[in-house]
Each structure stands twice: as C-alpha cells, then as structure tokens.
Amino acid sequence: MGDRVLVRRPADGPVAASAARRKRRVSPFWAKQLHLWHWMSSALCLVGMLLFAITGITLNHASAISASPVTTTQEAQLPASLIRTIAAQSHGEGAGAPNGVVEWVRRQLGADIGDRPAEWSADELYVALPQPGGDGWVSIDRQSGLATYEHTDRGWISWLNDLHKGRDTGSA
C-alpha cells in the first residue's frame, strides 16, 4: 500500500487551541469572586461541622458535664376585667389565651404566649413555653387571677445540644 500523508486542517493548529482556551477562561473578577465564595462557604461549613461534632461529644458524655440551671419565677395579679374574661370562657384543649391576656402577660411578665396552645381546666389556664436550652410556663388561676411565670435556663451547652437534636427549635 502507499504511504499515507497526514493533512492537518487549520482549526487543529496551535493558534486554534489557544483561541479555545481564551474562550473558556473566566474573567479575573469572577475568578476572585468564585474563590472568595468558595472559602467563605467552606469556612461556614467547617464551623457548622465542628459545632455538630462538639455537641455530639457533649451529648454522649452528658453525665460528665455538670449543669446548674437557673430558674426565675414571677407572679402578678390579673386585672378584674381579664379575670372575668378567662373565668367566663370555656375553651377546649389547644385553644389559645384571649388577646387581652396575651398582651397583659407580655407587658407584666415578659413572656410571649401569643401563638402557643393553652391547656384550659376548671381551675387554671396553663401555657407551656419550651425552648432550646431551657423551659418555661405560664399559669393563671381562673378564679383569683394569680398569674405565675417560671423560666428555666440550662446554659449554652444545653442550648447547643438542643439545636443538635432539633428539640424545641421550631420548623427551622
């Protein structure tokens, strides 16, 4: 057979390859932005991973970590008009407190019971206030109007542990 001659097309030459590389190259501005976003997102992921790992260790060794929860209790007297409002109402399980009572509790006791379901009984109105790293509740005597608010703070390690487990953290 005869000798074959290899013929190159002009597009296969070194000039064409250089032009193709130039077309694929990212502009210096976007390259810097990409680099910045990459290391910042990596740093955030690293912090999140370390917090998750540390709280995993604290959860597995909870007996070795001493805790000193702080409990505060406040009491206040409900005004007569609001006592009549809650004494007259007969709500079922899960119905919230009346708006006037919600505002009064927020102003007087510093507790937000607005969107929380309340437990109504013949004697009291009770609202549980669970949260990460703590607990709380508001109880209002339906006859006398004595309102009691108790809040327990278990510390930042408990707060991180509750976030790790997703306990009382809401939908987020």
Side-chain angles (χ1 to χ4, degrees):
M1 306 237 173
D3 291 331
R4 294 184 115 198
V5 177
L6 185 61
V7 178
R8 287 186 175 227
R9 294 183 307 208
D12 290 342
V15 174
S18 169
R21 278 194 297 274
R22 275 196 307 267
K23 286 182 183 177
R24 288 186 302 224
R25 186 179 302 157
V26 178
S27 71
F29 171 78
W30 288 112
K32 287 180 184 179
Q33 288 297 310
L34 184 63
H35 184 259
L36 177 71
W37 295 341
H38 177 72
W39 81 258
M40 289 182 81
S41 64
S42 298
L44 286 173
C45 289
L46 176 65
V47 168
M49 185 181 67
L50 287 174
L51 280 174
F52 200 74
I54 290 167
T55 55
I57 292 168
T58 60
L59 284 169
N60 287 332
H61 297 73
S63 61
I65 300 170
S66 63
S68 53
V70 177
T71 301
T72 56
T73 304
Q74 294 177 316
E75 290 185 344
Q77 183 63 41
L78 209 61
S81 62
L82 293 177
I83 294 173
R84 286 190 297 275
T85 301
I86 64 169
Q89 290 185 346
S90 59
H91 289 286
E93 184 76 23
N99 288 337
V101 174
V102 169
E103 287 303 314
W104 182 85
V105 168
R106 184 177 293 129
R107 280 193 321 272
Q108 296 296 318
L109 302 174
D112 185 16
I113 62 170
D115 296 333
R116 308 275 184 150
E119 297 177 23
W120 292 79
S121 69
D123 299 328
E124 74 175 350
L125 167 66
Y126 177 85
V127 181
L129 302 169
Q131 64 184 32
D135 194 16
W137 53 266
V138 173
S139 174
I140 302 173
D141 187 296
R142 293 180 71 184
Q143 304 307 316
S144 69
L146 179 65
T148 306
Y149 170 53
E150 183 174 288
H151 179 263
T152 303
D153 183 10
R154 293 187 186 93
W156 64 273
I157 292 177
S158 177
W159 183 79
L160 287 172
N161 286 344
D162 286 348
L163 287 180
H164 178 103
K165 293 188 281 187
R167 181 172 49 190
D168 301 325
T169 56
S171 59

